[in-house]
Amino acid sequence: MVFRKLPGVSASGMGLRLSQKFVFLLFLSGLVTLCFGALFFLPDSVRLKRIFLSKTDTQPVTVGSGSENDAKEHLKRAKDQEHLRGITSGKGETSTKLKSLSRKPSVSHEATEERLAGGKAQEDLTLFRSKAESASERATFSNHGASSDTFSYNKFKQCLLKAPLGREQGRPSDPRTAERRDKVKEMMKFAWDNYKRYAWGKNELRPLTRNGHIGNMFGGLKGATIIDSLDTLYIMGMTEEYNDAKEWVQTSLDLNSNGEASLFEVNIRYVGGLLSAYYLTGEELFKKKAMELGEKLLPAFNTPTGIPRGVINLGSGTSWSWGWASAGSSILAEFGTLHLEFVHLSELSSNAIYKEKVMNIRKLLSKIEKPHGLYPNFLSPVSGNWVQHHVSIGGLGDSFYEYLIKSYLMSDKTDEEAKKMYYSALEAIEANLVQKSPGGLTYMAEWRGGILDHKMGHLACFSGGMIGIGADDGVPEKRQHYLDLAAEITHTCHESYTRSATKLGPEAFRFDGGAEATATRLSDRYYILRPEVIESYMYMWRLTHDPKYREWGWEAVEALEQHCRVDSGFSGIRDVYATTVGHDNMQQSFFLSETLKYLYLLFSDDDLLPLEDWVFNTEAHPLPIIRDSCLQDGGAQDKTVSE
Ligand code: DMJ
């Protein structure tokens, strides 16, 4: 277009006539609208889109870090988290609770995911969708949260069969065992004191640099070590430390954060830790916080299937899948590890919503076709179909199986569906994954669409304990078989420790290329203070009282002391086969919550947190068995349970 200068038109008017100006402005505004509109068609991962569109309008970007569940993903995490950090910094701070609960995913994003994941199970999903949506509507309008006064702590206590802390807080009569237990308590004190001194209020201690670590896993929530330690401090009788922790929860635990969190990690560490602290102590504060946090997690379930996505913004309620999870899928070990905590949230709040959410997941998993009876690790939250046929009892799959048997046990053995699913899964695992090495070691291989990868992760070592605690409840003829299998797996995991220079086990060990329970790749040689092997020692000790489990636990204590204890706390190590170790400068919160707690229980009498009354969540936070009949009867009147 050519603009001719006309007489009587000022320079500021660029020499244009009024009608021309009007056309120009119209053109300009059309252009702006077009550009803005185009933003909606950009892929969600384009940063520009997140900058220009408000949180309530845009769909979450598929970014994120790995779940703690998988060692490999743990390594990928750093890269993804950098991305996450960049995105987080550009976000606004506020969003109302009501908005966050009622938000629904945008159609275009769902459509993309549907295309990627395939739409086979769509008819079935209509059912799941309407259920999930009606449930979330109820979440928006019903009165749930901290105001529950229908739950009676006294009544609950009367329904316990035994005193939670046993006689003399579980102190063993045998002096050598008592001495070992004291040593574990000293380790806890050392880990705690250093955390308190150098990293108070942060998520973890960095013991070499003597500072705190926040990370991105908890969406801006702080004090993970404090929440994870509450019950350990309590059962160890560390009153002063427990009181400091409680006071911090009271004064400084701020749940109004606005960052991207792993739904799984927040659930197992924070919700689990707070619930367990409440049940052990009766302090309303912990219940109130658990309820408040539980409510913030609900929007993650607003997907077409009700299967939650892995990452949730705790402020806005938007949720999305991990960037590394193919085709926007959700991870079995993440959405399958919510059941215990969510059932307790319903129990305490008298609001069924939490239980409905996890029962909906259960329903989908029970109905879906399973290759060879196995549960693959990745599932689309949109179509409800498996995304890949990778199966693992270690990272990405592990605690789903754990929560099946524990759901059954926690329901006072009334949850028959969980029991059935657990035993069928175990049969499929035995038929397809359990292997014997040339040297006679039993291990759980991984399965990649029918092809076996002869590798077992440290994480999979929890399965010795799991198979052990489930042994009593399958068909009676298989009881001994399961106990033997549990013992064999635990033995193999112990071998992975004894075959290293440090007597600590690698992140993953192999059974091919001449390897027998050893790591062959450099990248699998690290140990990050994980608990799973010791966890199985503890359960196997309780089930068999074979003294070797206590001996193996003591070997681990000595190795931890020698290689992981540094001047200002405990640290993971980079290579378990190296004679001079390099430290990773991280005291994981699960070291205090799980590793040290399981060691302490291993050297305690069985009446400290008796298994007749308690199940441990996957972060070792004890949750009580729910005895509905007793609670409905008004409690066991004739029983007096004292501390
Ligand atoms: C813990 O956070 C939990 O045990 C989880 O289930 C798996 N990984 C870590 C410890 O290794």
Side-chain angles (χ1 to χ4, degrees):
M1 189 190 293
V2 181
F3 295 108
R4 245 183 299 132
K5 188 165 182 190
L6 295 171
V9 177
S10 74
S12 63
M14 284 171 57
L16 299 179
R17 262 210 307 255
L18 205 62
S19 62
Q20 283 176 317
K21 267 193 212 166
F22 179 73
V23 172
F24 179 69
L25 279 177
L26 208 67
F27 171 74
L28 210 64
S29 68
L31 198 70
V32 169
T33 316
L34 210 69
C35 289
F36 189 71
L39 281 176
F40 288 91
F41 294 94
L42 286 175
D44 283 336
S45 54
V46 174
R47 197 169 183 168
L48 205 66
K49 179 169 179 178
R50 290 177 66 94
I51 294 169
F52 281 100
L53 299 185
S54 79
K55 279 180 194 173
T56 44
D57 296 334
T58 188
Q59 257 309 294
V61 180
T62 307
V63 294
S65 62
S67 151
E68 184 45 63
N69 272 316
D70 186 66
K72 276 270 151 57
E73 302 310 340
H74 193 74
L75 298 173
K76 282 186 200 160
R77 180 186 308 153
K79 225 164 77 198
D80 269 343
Q81 282 182 342
E82 283 309 315
H83 186 190
L84 197 65
R85 213 169 294 135
I87 287 162
T88 315
S89 58
K91 286 182 182 168
E93 290 298 310
T94 50
S95 167
T96 68
K97 196 181 279 177
L98 206 65
K99 239 196 242 167
S100 77
L101 284 168
S102 58
R103 177 170 305 107
K104 294 198 178 72
S106 84
V107 175
S108 64
H109 185 72
E110 303 302 7
T112 317
E113 285 195 2
E114 251 162 62
R115 245 187 304 113
L116 289 168
K120 200 167 127 251
Q122 280 311 303
E123 300 107 44
D124 252 21
L125 291 172
T126 322
L127 184 73
F128 290 116
R129 178 188 284 125
S130 58
K131 180 149 189 208
E133 286 177 0
S134 67
S136 60
E137 270 150 29
R138 259 171 287 145
T140 309
F141 299 111
S142 64
N143 170 28
H144 58 88
S147 62
S148 142
D149 47 15
T150 50
F151 181 85
S152 158
Y153 187 74
N154 284 338
K155 218 189 246 186
F156 146 72
K157 278 258 169 103
Q158 285 172 6
C159 288
L160 293 174
L161 300 177
K162 295 182 171 172
L165 302 188
R167 245 178 344 100
E168 288 184 58
Q169 313 215 321
R171 188 166 181 80
S173 47
D174 159 38
R176 199 166 79 121
T177 311
E179 211 176 287
R180 290 179 167 184
R181 191 173 95 135
D182 289 345
K183 174 66 201 167
V184 175
K185 183 170 171 179
E186 185 278 330
M187 291 164 80
M188 178 70 187
K189 184 152 173 53
F190 182 71
W192 176 263
D193 284 349
N194 279 294
Y195 167 77
K196 189 173 171 203
R197 181 155 180 209
Y198 299 113
W200 188 241
K202 301 286 192 313
N203 284 328
E204 296 95 4
L205 163 71
R206 286 186 176 278
L208 299 186
T209 43
R210 299 195 174 115
N211 57 350
H213 174 253
I214 295 277
N216 290 316
M217 220 153 56
F218 309 116
L221 293 179
K222 307 241 167 69
T225 293
I226 299 177
I227 307 298
D228 250 357
S229 298
L230 279 163
D231 50 17
T232 311
L233 295 170
Y234 184 78
I235 67 163
M236 289 185 178
M238 295 171 62
T239 316
E240 200 183 302
E241 291 80 0
Y242 162 77
N243 282 335
D244 287 344
K246 186 177 89 181
E247 195 191 317
W248 184 87
V249 175
Q250 178 109 55
T251 58
S252 311
L253 176 59
D254 181 7
L255 301 179
N256 292 315
S257 67
N258 194 37
E260 286 80 9
S262 156
L263 170 70
F264 163 80
E265 297 290 357
V266 168
N267 177 58
I268 66 168
R269 300 194 202 204
Y270 282 82
V271 178
L274 290 164
L275 285 173
S276 158
Y278 169 67
Y279 281 117
L280 286 173
T281 67
E283 292 283 355
E284 288 294 313
L285 159 74
F286 299 133
K287 181 171 87 176
K288 187 170 168 286
K289 293 282 186 189
M291 295 283 125
E292 243 180 85
L293 188 53
E295 189 174 318
K296 284 175 184 291
L297 301 182
L298 284 173
F301 295 78
N302 292 342
T303 65
T305 55
I307 297 286
R309 293 193 169 93
V311 188
I312 178 166
N313 182 304
L314 295 174
S316 67
T318 46
S319 70
W320 58 96
S321 307
W322 295 114
W324 48 265
S326 46
S329 54
S330 297
I331 313 297
L332 180 68
E334 298 198 329
F335 65 79
T337 308
L338 302 165
H339 201 100
L340 304 182
E341 297 80 2
F342 273 54
V343 165
H344 269 292
L345 288 175
S346 274
E347 189 67 20
L348 291 181
S349 63
S350 299
N351 186 323
I353 183 93
Y354 302 99
K355 191 168 177 181
E356 281 171 14
K357 297 290 184 196
V358 288
M359 286 313 284
N360 183 55
I361 298 176
R362 164 83 65 76
K363 192 169 165 189
L364 188 149
L365 288 174
S366 120
K367 274 191 172 176
I368 190 172
E369 204 178 302
K370 297 167 252 303
H372 298 267
L374 296 166
Y375 291 81
N377 293 335
F378 297 96
L379 185 105
S380 161
V382 176
S383 70
N385 290 327
W386 302 120
V387 173
Q388 284 173 353
H389 282 187
H390 287 180
V391 178
S392 167
I393 309 308
L396 305 181
D398 51 5
S399 39
F400 158 68
Y401 305 96
E402 175 186 354
Y403 270 35
L404 283 180
I405 185 63
K406 288 183 176 175
S407 295
Y408 173 65
L409 297 173
M410 199 181 83
S411 71
D412 200 18
K413 304 194 177 180
T414 60
D415 186 346
E416 289 296 329
E417 187 182 44
K419 175 180 172 179
K420 196 164 154 250
M421 285 169 74
Y422 171 74
Y423 286 104
S424 327
L426 189 54
E427 268 179 35
I429 289 167
E430 273 204 82
N432 295 285
L433 307 187
V434 174
Q435 303 287 306
K436 193 70 111 193
S437 74
L441 296 178
T442 305
Y443 63 98
M444 303 259 194
E446 304 205 341
W447 196 81
R448 297 179 185 276
I451 297 171
L452 284 183
D453 186 5
H454 294 272
K455 152 190 149 183
M456 186 164 173
H458 192 288
L459 289 163
C461 285
F462 86 97
S463 60
M466 174 186 76
I467 296 168
I469 54 169
D472 266 351
D473 301 299
V475 280
E477 310 81 69
K478 289 196 89 175
R479 179 179 181 272
Q480 194 52 49
H481 166 75
Y482 285 138
L483 281 177
D484 292 345
L485 179 60
E488 284 169 29
I489 301 266
T490 308
H491 170 71
T492 300
C493 291
H494 175 246
E495 285 301 303
S496 78
Y497 275 47
T498 55
R499 294 173 190 210
S500 78
T502 56
K503 304 297 167 215
L504 293 165
E507 180 66 9
F509 42 95
R510 304 198 63 92
F511 298 88
D512 51 10
E516 287 253 347
T518 50
T520 52
R521 297 173 190 174
L522 258 177
S523 58
D524 285 338
R525 291 177 168 201
Y526 63 94
Y527 171 70
I528 56 167
L529 305 173
R530 286 200 192 276
E532 292 77 16
V533 176
I534 292 164
E535 174 180 350
S536 283
Y537 296 165
M538 191 284 288
Y539 282 117
M540 293 311 291
W541 162 255
R542 288 243 174 142
L543 294 167
T544 65
H545 290 135
D546 183 333
K548 77 179 176 202
Y549 295 113
R550 278 186 165 167
E551 290 312 312
W552 292 355
W554 186 246
E555 286 168 14
V557 167
E558 290 182 320
L560 284 165
E561 282 285 285
Q562 194 183 340
H563 302 293
C564 300
R565 188 170 178 139
V566 292
D567 285 349
S568 303
F570 286 89
S571 165
I573 57 175
R574 298 191 189 281
D575 184 354
V576 295
Y577 301 105
T579 35
T580 315
V581 296
H583 292 103
D584 70 4
N585 194 21
M586 183 66 79
Q587 180 176 284
Q588 302 280 352
S589 77
F590 54 66
F591 180 65
L592 293 88
S593 145
E594 297 190 71
T595 313
L596 293 176
K597 186 188 284 132
Y598 285 133
L599 280 168
Y600 190 75
L601 291 172
L602 176 65
F603 299 121
S604 295
D605 280 350
D606 295 357
D607 63 359
L608 176 59
L609 297 174
L611 297 180
E612 292 93 324
D613 278 325
W614 301 87
V615 294
F616 292 88
N617 89 340
T618 194
E619 189 77 0
H621 295 304
L623 298 171
I625 288 173
I626 298 171
R627 298 201 164 87
D628 271 345
S629 52
C630 173
L631 288 166
Q632 278 147 20
D633 291 351
Q637 304 300 340
D638 52 343
K639 252 188 296 132
T640 327
V641 176
S642 55
E643 299 280 275

